[in-house]
Structures are given as structure tokens and as C-alpha cells.
Amino acid sequence: MYGYAMDKEEFQARLARVEGQIRGLQKMVDEDKYCIDILTQLNAASAALTAIGVGLLDTHVRHCVRQSIERGQGDAEIELLVASVARFVGR
Amino acid sequence: MYGYAMDKEEFQARLARVEGQIRGLQKMVDEDKYCIDILTQLNAASAALTAIGVGLLDTHVRHCVRQSIERGQGDAEIELLVASVARFVGR
Amino acid sequence: MYGYAMDKEEFQARLARVEGQIRGLQKMVDEDKYCIDILTQLNAASAALTAIGVGLLDTHVRHCVRQSIERGQGDAEIELLVASVARFVGR
Amino acid sequence: MYGYAMDKEEFQARLARVEGQIRGLQKMVDEDKYCIDILTQLNAASAALTAIGVGLLDTHVRHCVRQSIERGQGDAEIELLVASVARFVGR
């Protein structure tokens, strides 16, 4: 994450938590837990990933996009940003 | 849409199309169409709305956010933008 | 909606409300409202559509899928249902 | 996953792949990769999780819901299913 080294730790902590949730899911499948409970856990992991994605976008706009605009070269960055948001919302 | 009058027409045309899709849904419900067919139509309207939302974000970043940053006042705009994207992706 | 005529009125009322929201969006675009406010309103319409979709799925499972299974012919209905949910969640 | 032991292996294989994607994300953050590339990878992991969720729903309807309905006790299962889909689609 260009120019955003400060919060790297938080991103790593959140990703480690999602990794733990995925391992929890593997254990639940292994132990034949009830589908709906597995799905509830999967939703939690999915929401956590989405929140990390929003954090990345935040970082990106605050740093990369801002700097590009300040340098008068925002167009390409903005295009990438919007394409990325479009994929993020699922289309 | 501040500063983006040019494409107002396209936004209006797309919104009119979604309005037509919603009216189509009302007709389908009225005529007791098969649920899955109604849902397919509803998905289409929903995807069209999402695409309009992405278009709005695009416009917003390209104009409002860029101008705020160029004036050295990007922080508040960026905060609003990210909060808006976060709600848009559903969390 | 096969076999679910009772709640037709609620579906119609909700669809009419979404239609109103879409018209509200057209007015906001027409009046050059602030993008983020338009997006907030668009999110509300989108969430209302999703809620109607969940209601349709509910109706569908409770009636069509249940009846098909009771008649020993659930396979095709279940396949359609899952395909529809898959599209609904955006993949 | 009650009554669906057969495909346990596929669920496990897919979850293991997502776990690998999450570890890949940690590595990308660690190496200060470009935000948009991280986000692209995060989207891939997120889509993979959603696909696993759809697979779980599929399994659940095909087995638990079907069996409950066949035993004349489908109501509670259907309620849980719809609540779970509602959370899954993000409301």
C-alpha cells in the first residue's frame, strides 16, 4: 500500500483474523456442523473481507488518488478507482 | 449533480428505464407470474440501479472530489465518498 | 406468484414505493442535487428492491419448492431456486 | 454438513484455496503492493467465499430443507433458510 505504511499493521491484523475465520470454517465442515451455522460464520468472514476492502479504498483515495490529482495526473487513477469500485459492488 | 450537467440526460434515461422495469414487475405480480421469473426481472432492475450508482460515484470523484482536492480541501469530500462506498457495498 | 395471492398486495405496495423512489431520483438529478445525496437515495431504493427479492424467495420456497418436494418432484425446483439465489447474490 | 458428507472434500478444497488467497493478501500488504492490485485479489477471495456460500445453501436446500418438508416439518427450516439468504444478500 503505497504511502500508507502506518496502518499496515491493522490491515495485517484484520487479514489474520479472516484467515482464522476461514480455518474455523474448515473445522466446522470437518465436524459436520449444521449448514446454516457454517453459512453464518461464512457471512462473518465475508463481511470482514468487505470491510478490509473498504479500508483499502479509503487508503487508496486518501493517498494515491489525492497525490495524482495534486500532481495534475488524476485521470488514470480515477479511472482505475471507479473500475475497482464497480467490480467491488459486484458488476 | 454538481458540475456534471452534460451527462444528466444519460442518468435520466437510465432511471426512466429502471422505472419501466419496476412497472413491469408490478404487472408480473399482478398477472401471477412465476416467482423465479419475477426474481430474474428484479435482479435486472437491481443491477441497473447499481450501475447507475457506479456512474454517480464516477461523476462524483471526477468532479466534486477532484475539485476539493485541487482547492486543498479534499478531506471532508473523501470521508463522505468512502462512507458512501461503504454503504453502497452493503456494510 | 403461484399460490401466494394473499400477499400480492404487499408486494404491489412495496413495488409502488420503489417506483416512487426512482421518480424521486429523477427529480434529484433534474434539480442537480449533490451526488452523495442522490447515491444515498439510490441505496435506499436498492435495499428496498433487495428486500422485495428476499420476500419473493421466501414465498417461492414456502409454496412452489415445498409443493414440488411434497409431490416428490423437488429436484428441478431446487435447481432453479439455487441458480436464482446465486444470481441474486451477484455471481 | 448434515447428510452431505460426499462433497465435504470439495468444500474443504475450496476453503483451503481461500485460505491461500488470504495469505497471499497478507504477503501483498507486507510487500507494499499497489492498493488496487490488493483490492483485485481481495475481490477474488470474496467471490470465492460467496460461491462456497451458494454451495452451502444448495446442499442445505437439497438435504435439510427437503427432508424436513418430507417429514411435514418444513416450516422452521424454511424460516431459517430465508433468514440466512437475507443475511447473505446483505440485509
Side-chain angles (χ1 to χ4, degrees):
Chain A
M1 286 161 299
Y2 291 3
Y4 204 59
M6 296 184 320
D7 259 41
K8 234 166 121 162
E9 269 172 55
E10 203 195 323
F11 279 109
Q12 293 293 22
R14 281 165 175 247
L15 284 168
R17 227 172 302 144
V18 174
E19 199 195 325
Q21 287 173 305
I22 304 296
R23 267 203 295 264
L25 282 164
Q26 290 170 301
K27 197 158 165 276
M28 289 177 91
V29 170
D30 202 51
E31 295 172 349
D32 290 316
K33 296 288 188 204
Y34 180 54
C35 314
I36 294 291
D37 292 336
I38 302 178
L39 201 57
T40 300
Q41 179 70 10
L42 185 144
N43 271 334
S46 193
L49 261 188
T50 300
I52 296 171
V54 170
L56 279 168
L57 275 176
D58 190 353
T59 297
H60 183 63
V61 176
R62 252 176 243 287
H63 296 267
C64 314
V65 178
R66 175 198 290 269
Q67 281 168 26
S68 297
I69 290 172
E70 284 171 355
R71 285 190 207 113
Q73 303 158 333
D75 285 341
E77 279 293 351
I78 288 172
E79 214 125 296
L80 267 174
L81 170 72
V82 173
S84 192
V85 170
R87 255 177 296 132
F88 197 46
V89 298
R91 329 263 151 202
Chain B
M1 286 161 300
Y2 293 2
Y4 204 58
M6 298 184 318
D7 259 44
K8 236 167 121 162
E9 268 171 58
E10 203 195 322
F11 280 109
Q12 293 294 23
R14 281 165 175 247
L15 284 168
R17 227 171 302 145
V18 174
E19 199 195 327
Q21 287 173 306
I22 304 295
R23 266 203 295 266
L25 282 164
Q26 291 169 300
K27 196 156 167 279
M28 290 178 91
V29 169
D30 202 51
E31 295 172 351
D32 291 316
K33 296 289 189 204
Y34 181 53
C35 314
I36 295 291
D37 292 336
I38 303 178
L39 201 58
T40 299
Q41 178 70 9
L42 185 144
N43 271 334
S46 193
L49 262 187
T50 300
I52 296 171
V54 170
L56 279 168
L57 274 176
D58 191 354
T59 297
H60 182 63
V61 175
R62 252 176 243 285
H63 296 267
C64 314
V65 176
R66 175 199 289 269
Q67 280 167 26
S68 297
I69 290 172
E70 284 170 356
R71 286 190 207 113
Q73 302 158 334
D75 285 340
E77 279 294 351
I78 289 172
E79 214 126 297
L80 267 173
L81 170 72
V82 173
S84 193
V85 170
R87 256 177 296 132
F88 197 47
V89 297
R91 328 263 154 198
Chain C
M1 286 162 298
Y2 292 2
Y4 203 59
M6 298 184 316
D7 258 44
K8 237 166 121 162
E9 269 172 57
E10 204 194 320
F11 280 108
Q12 293 293 23
R14 281 165 175 246
L15 284 168
R17 228 172 300 144
V18 173
E19 199 195 326
Q21 286 174 305
I22 304 296
R23 267 203 295 264
L25 282 163
Q26 290 169 302
K27 197 158 167 277
M28 290 178 90
V29 169
D30 202 52
E31 294 171 351
D32 290 318
K33 296 290 187 204
Y34 180 53
C35 313
I36 295 289
D37 292 336
I38 303 178
L39 202 57
T40 299
Q41 179 69 10
L42 186 143
N43 271 334
S46 193
L49 261 188
T50 300
I52 296 171
V54 171
L56 278 168
L57 273 177
D58 190 352
T59 296
H60 182 63
V61 176
R62 251 176 245 286
H63 296 267
C64 315
V65 177
R66 175 200 288 269
Q67 280 167 25
S68 298
I69 290 172
E70 285 171 353
R71 286 192 207 110
Q73 304 158 332
D75 285 341
E77 279 294 351
I78 289 172
E79 216 126 293
L80 269 173
L81 170 71
V82 173
S84 192
V85 170
R87 258 176 294 131
F88 197 48
V89 298
R91 327 264 154 201
Chain D
M1 287 162 301
Y2 291 2
Y4 204 60
M6 299 182 317
D7 258 43
K8 237 166 119 162
E9 268 172 57
E10 203 194 323
F11 280 108
Q12 293 293 23
R14 282 165 175 247
L15 284 168
R17 228 172 300 145
V18 174
E19 200 194 323
Q21 287 172 305
I22 304 296
R23 266 202 296 264
L25 283 164
Q26 291 170 301
K27 195 158 168 278
M28 290 177 91
V29 170
D30 201 52
E31 295 172 352
D32 290 317
K33 297 289 186 205
Y34 181 53
C35 312
I36 294 290
D37 292 336
I38 303 178
L39 203 57
T40 299
Q41 179 71 8
L42 185 143
N43 271 334
S46 194
L49 261 189
T50 299
I52 296 171
V54 171
L56 279 169
L57 273 176
D58 191 352
T59 296
H60 183 63
V61 176
R62 251 176 244 286
H63 295 268
C64 314
V65 177
R66 174 200 288 269
Q67 282 168 24
S68 297
I69 290 172
E70 285 170 353
R71 287 191 205 111
Q73 303 159 331
D75 285 340
E77 279 295 352
I78 289 172
E79 215 126 294
L80 268 173
L81 170 71
V82 173
S84 191
V85 169
R87 257 176 295 132
F88 197 47
V89 297
R91 325 269 152 197

